[in-house]
Amino acid sequence: MSRTARKFAIEAVAVLASVVLFWVPLYFVLLTAMKSAQEASDMNLAWPSQIRLWQNIADVVTFRGYMLLRAFWNSSALTVLSLAAMVVVCSMAAFVMQRRNDRATPWISFFVLAGLIIPPAIVPTIWVLNEIHLFKTMAGLVLVEVALGFPFCVMLYRGFMAAIPRDIDEAAVVDGYGGYRLFFTIIFPLLKPVTATIIVTQAVFIFNDFTNPLYFFPGAKNVTVQLTLYNFTSQFISQWNLLFTDILLITIPPLVLFLFFNQKIVAGMTTGSVKG
Amino acid sequence: MTKVFKRIYTYNFLLPAAVVYTVIFIVPTVMSFFFSLTRWTLSDWEFIGLQNFRTFFQEPSLSIGFKNTLIYAAATSSAKVAGGLLLGVFLTGKIRTKHYLRSVVFFPTLVSTIAVGIAFSMMMHPTEGLINRTLATFGIEGPDWLGDTGVALLSVAFVDVWKGVGLATVIYIAGILAIPEEYHEALQIDGGNGWNKFWNIVVPLSRPATNAVIILSFIGGLRSFDLIWAMTKGGPGFATDVIASIIYKQYQGGFYGLATAGNVILFLFVTAVVYPLSRYLTRTEVDL
């Protein structure tokens, strides 16, 4: 076989494999979400006799007093609040950590890097949240997300900040700028590309987060979208169609982010992980 | 540093982050060492020494977690290294469907783990599931992927790799593209073939990527909880219980001291494995 023919064959196999490994599961989810409970329990790839997608969506949304809507609201609030706090808090911290160089800086870096590796201690965290009256609250969960996302974000910000020349700081100081004015009016706007990267990557992470809401945000009204999925598994035991409709609905936000910001997400995840 | 700049780069900037990080992360981590030695109800504690750790090592339903956690982490991270490297090489080559394949491989990284777990557990159903039905058309009788104690852990590990190999791949792609062109030219002058290129250039010079993938996926593997919980809840029996799922079970059962001991063990486990591993990996790295 000639070289080009072989190359073409390999590529054809790769595309075929991608269809089997990635499109078939997706198609399966979509198909099941369109079926009736009866047909969904067949678990096959047969085309539904009647497309019930809208009916299923209505059923899932109204289930248990519009629980899914509440979950979407909670998840969106969690994502937006955490991101806002994270961007401000982490960029400020990274500014000092990158610019300063004294005896304390290696220690600070050590503690921050440790956060990338060490698994959070679950029950003691609940205990702390309970002591400060933030257990089972949105504010408490936001703080958890910020604390756990902090090491990753600081690393990205620091890496980017290193490329912003100190001459800018000096010029600003000569012009009589103070630290806050320098940071908020000059440095922070220059960080926009990395801020965007952090927002899209962390938005996906936080929206998809299951473990932290499970531990730190329990309670009937405190659902997030990932928790609905988990709660519905026991209640929709014979209604796979509704469970898969739920999967479909909560996959839409990350899918949209992926379609628009694919490059940014990939960039954020690769630089973040290689530097760690 | 001049006095002016000490004032400009004031530690006040660090204050909010330091408070949140200390209160929510560092304090619980430090306190976990203490509470792991107690019988604990959140409001009240009783010091019981190393009893919780003894229970963890003696009770078979708990100690199985060590073995499973290691197997799971080793299996997923080695598969992600191999898969990521091969896909990375393939997707940096001269192929037409590069962009399509990169997107497709990466997409599962962004899908909810719970959703992936539910979808796959349905496809892995022993009799009705898509996988075994497809195998049956070829005359193969597939195992009970999630119900057989021998294969369940590896089935979950497979799904983990399916979901995570995209991240490994993009890390490799970045690593391979960073290899300077001169090396490839030198190889061409010396008359090396594709095989030489792979073993003598790509593999050694993408070592930073390899190290990142190993460390990242090993830590992730040791800590992983949500996929296992969504697919098997540690079952059948305790066949897929890992330290993280045991922590959750003990927490649910109200054994807070025991759950915290699990956390301390996981902490020691992760640092004991990851610290020497990363030291070793960075020491053997070559410079470009």
Side-chain angles (χ1 to χ4, degrees):
Chain A
M1 200 162 25
S2 81
R3 231 183 123 81
T4 43
R6 205 181 64 191
K7 250 193 175 150
F8 182 78
I10 292 175
E11 200 172 338
V13 170
V15 172
L16 194 69
S18 80
V19 171
V20 172
L21 279 170
F22 296 102
W23 286 107
V24 168
L26 199 68
Y27 180 65
F28 175 65
V29 170
L30 188 65
L31 216 52
T32 309
M34 298 195 299
K35 289 178 176 179
S36 65
Q38 177 77 42
E39 285 179 335
S41 64
D42 290 340
M43 302 186 194
N44 58 18
L45 288 178
W47 189 254
S49 58
Q50 187 194 355
I51 293 176
R52 285 176 48 97
L53 184 59
W54 297 117
Q55 183 59 44
N56 287 346
I57 290 176
D59 285 354
V60 174
V61 170
T62 52
F63 184 69
R64 297 251 310 253
Y66 295 92
M67 192 187 202
L68 191 60
L69 292 188
R70 182 186 291 281
F72 260 100
W73 168 252
N74 282 342
S75 283
S76 315
L78 173 67
T79 311
V80 172
L81 294 173
S82 306
L83 284 175
M86 220 183 248
V87 163
V88 175
V89 165
C90 298
S91 63
M92 290 192 334
F95 177 58
V96 180
M97 286 171 67
Q98 198 273 320
R99 289 301 203 234
R100 259 185 109 106
N101 197 0
D102 56 31
R103 255 180 308 166
T105 31
W107 285 100
I108 298 169
S109 304
F110 170 78
F111 273 110
V112 173
L113 278 181
L116 288 174
I117 298 170
I118 298 171
I122 304 289
V123 191
T125 310
I126 292 176
W127 173 73
V128 167
L129 289 173
N130 206 20
E131 293 292 305
I132 54 178
H133 304 291
L134 290 177
F135 182 44
K136 300 186 190 179
T137 64
M138 178 61 80
L141 188 57
V142 167
L143 288 182
V144 170
E145 298 288 0
V146 172
L148 299 185
F150 170 66
F152 177 83
C153 297
V154 156
M155 214 169 54
L156 283 187
Y157 270 126
R158 258 171 74 176
F160 194 86
M161 198 110 53
I164 299 177
R166 271 165 197 264
D167 303 352
I168 293 182
D169 305 13
E170 279 157 23
V173 170
V174 170
D175 284 351
Y177 277 49
Y180 298 106
R181 202 160 141 221
L182 164 68
F183 178 76
F184 287 106
T185 61
I186 299 176
I187 303 290
F188 188 73
L190 288 174
L191 295 172
K192 212 186 263 164
V194 73
T195 300
T197 306
I198 285 175
I199 288 177
V200 285
T201 18
Q202 293 296 309
V204 175
F205 275 135
I206 297 171
F207 190 82
N208 281 343
D209 188 9
F210 169 70
T211 314
N212 292 321
L214 179 71
Y215 277 119
F216 308 121
F217 201 52
K221 288 191 169 176
N222 294 347
V223 282
T224 64
V225 287
Q226 304 304 325
L227 290 179
T228 64
L229 214 45
Y230 177 65
N231 295 340
F232 290 175
T233 19
S234 47
Q235 285 147 5
F236 288 163
I237 199 77
S238 53
Q239 291 170 292
W240 291 99
N241 54 337
L242 298 188
L243 190 60
F244 277 60
T245 307
D246 192 14
I247 292 182
L248 203 62
L249 291 178
I250 70 169
T251 308
I252 291 172
L255 180 69
V256 171
L257 278 178
F258 175 70
L259 291 177
F260 285 101
F261 303 108
N262 185 0
Q263 297 299 327
K264 266 222 132 37
I265 296 176
V266 169
M269 286 191 175
T270 45
T271 48
S273 47
V274 173
K275 284 197 184 116
Chain B
M1 202 160 31
T2 62
K3 243 196 179 134
V4 180
F5 279 99
K6 259 203 176 123
R7 193 169 46 78
I8 297 289
Y9 305 136
T10 160
Y11 272 123
N12 287 349
F13 279 115
L14 198 60
L15 202 63
V19 169
V20 174
Y21 191 63
T22 307
V23 172
I24 307 291
F25 184 74
I26 298 192
V27 168
T29 305
V30 172
M31 289 307 281
S32 70
F33 284 87
F34 170 71
F35 283 123
S36 67
L37 305 173
T38 64
R39 189 176 288 123
W40 185 28
T41 60
L42 282 188
S43 52
D44 204 13
W45 54 267
E46 179 198 343
F47 192 79
I48 55 166
L50 291 173
Q51 186 57 48
N52 289 325
F53 292 93
R54 236 171 269 143
T55 312
F56 236 100
F57 286 100
Q58 280 165 0
E59 186 69 44
S61 64
L62 302 179
S63 60
I64 192 174
F66 301 120
K67 196 185 75 183
N68 286 343
T69 306
L70 264 187
I71 293 175
Y72 189 83
T76 50
S77 62
S78 47
K80 283 175 193 171
V81 168
L85 176 60
L86 291 179
L87 284 166
V89 169
F90 183 64
L91 295 178
T92 47
K94 288 191 186 74
I95 52 170
R96 257 164 294 178
T97 46
K98 189 153 54 183
H99 293 292
Y100 156 76
L101 285 172
R102 279 187 194 181
S103 305
V104 166
V105 169
F106 185 71
F107 181 62
T109 310
L110 304 179
V111 181
S112 133
T113 311
I114 306 299
V116 168
I118 291 171
F120 267 94
S121 33
M122 200 166 165
M123 291 191 287
M124 286 178 168
H125 190 279
T127 50
E128 308 289 307
L130 219 50
I131 296 176
N132 277 359
R133 276 215 216 155
T134 313
L135 288 177
T137 59
F138 295 105
I140 306 167
E141 198 190 328
D144 184 352
W145 298 102
L146 298 173
D148 186 329
T149 50
V151 290
L153 189 63
L154 292 179
S155 303
V156 181
F158 166 80
V159 180
D160 191 315
V161 173
W162 178 87
K163 184 169 168 10
V165 79
L167 181 57
T169 306
V170 294
I171 292 173
Y172 266 112
I173 289 177
I176 291 168
L177 291 179
I179 297 174
E181 193 54 40
E182 296 98 78
Y183 289 94
H184 299 298
E185 285 164 11
L187 185 87
Q188 258 178 358
I189 293 166
D190 290 346
N193 58 20
W195 189 247
N196 296 133
K197 183 178 157 186
F198 179 71
W199 274 117
N200 301 329
I201 293 184
V202 174
V203 172
L205 293 180
S206 61
R207 268 301 286 278
T210 307
N211 295 350
V213 173
I214 292 178
I215 298 284
L216 204 68
S217 54
F218 210 87
I219 297 174
L222 290 175
R223 292 165 56 159
S224 69
F225 166 70
D226 33 11
L227 186 66
I228 292 170
W229 198 251
M231 291 185 77
T232 62
K233 292 199 164 57
F238 304 101
T240 56
D241 253 330
V242 291
I243 299 178
S245 67
I246 291 171
I247 292 172
Y248 183 64
K249 283 183 182 174
Q250 299 310 323
Y251 162 70
Q252 269 189 318
F255 304 108
Y256 296 153
L258 199 56
T260 308
N263 250 131
V264 169
I265 291 170
L266 188 58
F267 171 97
L268 297 174
F269 222 57
V270 171
T271 39
V273 174
V274 171
Y275 184 68
L277 185 68
S278 71
R279 284 292 292 269
Y280 170 75
L281 290 175
T282 37
R283 210 180 51 224
T284 51
E285 216 168 84
V286 292
D287 287 323
L288 284 183

